[in-house]
Amino acid sequence: MVDLRIDGESFALTTAAGVFGAQGVDRGTMTLLRHAPAPRPATGVVDLGAGYGPIAVTLGRRQPAAGVWAVEVNERALGLIRSNASRVPNVVAARPEEVPPALRFDGLYSNPPIKIGKDALHELLLDWLGRLVPGGYGWLVVKQAMGADSLRQWLDETGYPTDRAAAKQGYRLLRVRAGGGGQADAGPAATGQAGTGPGPLAPDDLATIGAGTGGAWTVLGHLHGGGSDPVYLLGRGALRAVLKLKHGAWWADQLSRAATTVEELRAAGYPTPPVLGFGRLDEDRAYLLTGFVRGETLNRLDPATLDAVLGAVALHGEVRPSPVRDWSVMVTSFLNGGIADFTFHPDVLPLARRALDLVSRPVPALPTGGFAHGDFTLRNLLFHEGGLAAVLDLEGFGRGTPVIDLVSLLTATTDPVDGSPDVTRRIVEYAVSLGGTDAFLACLAHRVLATVSWATEHPQLLTDAARRARALLDAVD
């Protein structure tokens, strides 16, 4: 047992032999605690190599409205963290592999394990510093005699601008800026403010969400991959949830419809997380809270994973959503509108002509009525232990033909690098069996034309758009 005296108070921490600092909180850790800023409310940070938890527990006590991951590989130390943080509910003790790979942090604090060797240390820091959101900061305390200055130089050269924030009793506190921008001395994290991050979330927002979902939540970090929507991992005790913020007055009603549709899909056996809550935060923002599902995204499908995905698509026809948004109508309206007269960039004009030649004009109405995801791509599919764990991001759903979603899936399977001709063939055959040849060609033409028209207006996207459009068109040759 050791006493930690900080912030004008003292509290006891349980230690054990074989855990760093067992005889007392070391001077390096005290240097960090005295000079590094506290986390901002409604953010998530990580204490890397937490030991028995002096940094994590102090950060959690200083800022109860922030989530603190205490990451440690030593099982005995993890048990000590849980004991020492028993009255600090915003601290989560975890092995590195227990932290979701998609999670990103506003701040990183560490008295890093220098003795593991330079190469291992560099690999460890690159991994975890790479998980800071833009504008986030790392705070590393290192003994000068054990290479603090050379570590600072290496971080600078590696793309993580680093400066010395404090120097006490032979230790250096290094302030490391997340790669990609901001001023080291004036950035928000340098003054204890949140990083610019994927989006704004205020304590008042959390209070509103907690009131609407039966209890308070703690932000545990940002979830990478939400596109333009801010996405957060929240915690309440052992419960984990995904919070997505939607901008625009239209979304409040759409999320209400989504909650009903998700319930119906889940009743039919569809693999998607439950909706835990939804509502307005203000006139322009709404929130959706869903259960958290562990899994990973894939770059490609093999025959086994494809079977699971097509099994999910087969359930789309089991649900008849509200007609407020109809993806089939959107496709035919697009093709029968002015797209044939659009002035495409010369680099993609031949591809646009190939797509237009796939359909007769006017394009007849497509089948509709069942559930259509609208963005049924690999980035919205989670897999675990070889199976489909979850289909995500259903809130933009509408009604329509499942062929729309199968064509969305083709954008990944036709990739020249990660694609599989056999998988592509099976998706095409299944799409035709569900909607007919004309519906499939119309949906594919829509996808190609939407891609190359957008790239025409954003020329920096032309090369990638042409590659994807050509691969889709080649799938039907």
Side-chain angles (χ1 to χ4, degrees):
M1 188 81 70
V2 300
D3 285 328
L4 175 56
R5 295 179 175 85
I6 195 76
D7 300 335
E9 57 180 337
S10 176
F11 53 93
L13 296 172
T14 302
T15 66
V19 178
F20 178 73
Q23 304 305 313
V25 181
D26 72 291
R27 287 183 291 182
T29 295
M30 293 305 300
T31 297
L32 184 150
L33 292 177
R34 288 176 177 139
H35 297 282
R40 183 177 179 270
T43 62
V45 301
V46 60
D47 171 13
L48 180 62
Y52 52 84
I55 294 174
V57 171
T58 302
L59 295 176
R61 288 166 62 99
R62 281 177 175 171
Q63 184 49 269
V68 182
W69 288 84
V71 176
E72 178 56 66
V73 297
N74 185 303
E75 287 295 331
R76 176 178 290 185
L78 284 169
L80 294 172
I81 295 169
R82 296 185 182 103
S83 174
N84 291 327
S86 60
R87 296 185 179 181
V88 192
N90 55 323
V91 172
V92 179
R95 295 188 296 272
E97 63 271 19
E98 294 174 328
V99 182
L103 203 60
R104 302 293 181 264
F105 306 100
D106 295 275
L108 179 146
Y109 300 76
S110 183
N111 186 344
I114 299 294
K115 292 183 179 180
I116 64 175
K118 182 190 294 186
D119 290 344
L121 176 66
H122 287 181
E123 182 179 357
L124 180 72
L125 292 177
L126 286 178
D127 182 17
W128 289 89
L129 288 171
R131 299 177 70 171
L132 289 173
V133 299
Y137 278 76
W139 301 90
L140 309 178
V141 64
V142 182
K143 200 170 187 178
Q144 182 182 11
M146 297 188 73
D149 294 334
S150 62
L151 179 61
R152 173 186 172 185
Q153 180 180 350
W154 174 79
L155 286 166
D156 261 325
E157 294 172 349
T158 309
Y160 291 93
T162 302
D163 64 289
R164 190 174 69 188
K168 297 291 181 181
Q169 297 180 307
Y171 287 88
R172 302 283 191 260
L173 178 62
L174 304 180
R175 177 173 46 198
V176 186
R177 188 169 78 239
Q183 294 294 323
D185 293 329
T191 56
Q193 301 300 306
T196 55
L201 183 67
D204 287 349
D205 296 333
L206 279 180
T208 299
I209 294 164
T213 57
W217 295 94
T218 298
V219 174
L220 297 179
H222 305 271
L223 283 169
H224 177 68
S228 60
D229 296 318
V231 185
Y232 301 85
L233 180 67
L234 304 188
R236 178 195 290 165
L239 181 62
R240 299 288 178 263
V242 176
L243 171 67
K244 179 175 284 189
L245 302 186
K246 306 295 292 188
H247 292 257
W250 181 80
W251 278 106
D253 290 338
Q254 174 69 358
L255 295 181
S256 176
R257 292 187 288 268
T260 299
T261 301
V262 166
E263 185 176 348
E264 294 172 353
L265 284 166
R266 285 174 54 82
Y270 196 73
T272 195
V275 173
L276 305 180
F278 60 90
R280 291 185 184 273
L281 293 175
D282 52 42
E283 290 185 0
D284 295 321
R285 294 184 304 149
Y287 75 88
L288 177 68
L289 192 69
T290 62
F292 173 71
V293 176
R294 281 194 171 271
E296 60 180 357
T297 58
L298 301 178
N299 291 327
R300 62 178 297 165
L301 294 174
D302 57 32
T305 50
L306 177 61
D307 286 341
V309 173
L310 296 185
V313 174
L315 296 173
H316 285 195
E318 299 295 314
V319 174
R320 314 295 285 183
S322 160
V324 170
R325 171 180 278 191
D326 193 313
W327 284 102
S328 287
V329 172
M330 292 182 193
V331 169
T332 53
S333 296
F334 176 88
L335 293 173
N336 288 328
I339 192 62
D341 299 321
F342 185 84
T343 304
F344 292 94
H345 190 282
D347 289 355
V348 294
L349 179 57
L351 298 170
R353 287 174 175 165
R354 283 177 64 186
L356 289 167
D357 287 343
L358 293 176
V359 295
S360 60
R361 297 179 63 84
V363 177
L366 298 179
T368 190
F371 168 79
H373 185 289
D375 191 21
F376 197 78
T377 57
L378 284 182
R379 67 174 177 269
N380 285 329
L381 304 178
L382 287 183
F383 297 85
H384 185 65
E385 295 181 349
L388 178 61
V391 181
L392 306 178
D393 291 354
L394 271 66
E395 66 273 7
F397 80 99
R399 59 166 49 183
T401 172
V403 177
I404 294 170
D405 290 333
L406 290 167
V407 169
S408 293
L409 192 62
L410 277 179
T411 60
T413 66
T414 56
D415 186 278
V417 176
D418 297 315
S420 164
D422 290 340
V423 168
T424 295
R425 176 184 51 78
R426 286 187 57 196
I427 294 174
V428 171
E429 291 175 351
Y430 190 55
V432 171
S433 73
L434 291 179
T437 301
D438 289 343
F440 170 69
L441 292 177
C443 291
L444 189 138
H446 165 264
R447 189 80 184 194
V448 170
L449 292 166
T451 298
V452 296
S453 62
W454 178 257
T456 294
E457 297 175 346
H458 302 82
Q460 71 276 16
L461 305 176
L462 280 168
T463 300
D464 182 63
R467 178 184 60 81
R468 291 186 286 115
R470 185 175 296 106
L472 279 173
L473 291 166
D474 288 346
V476 298
D477 282 351

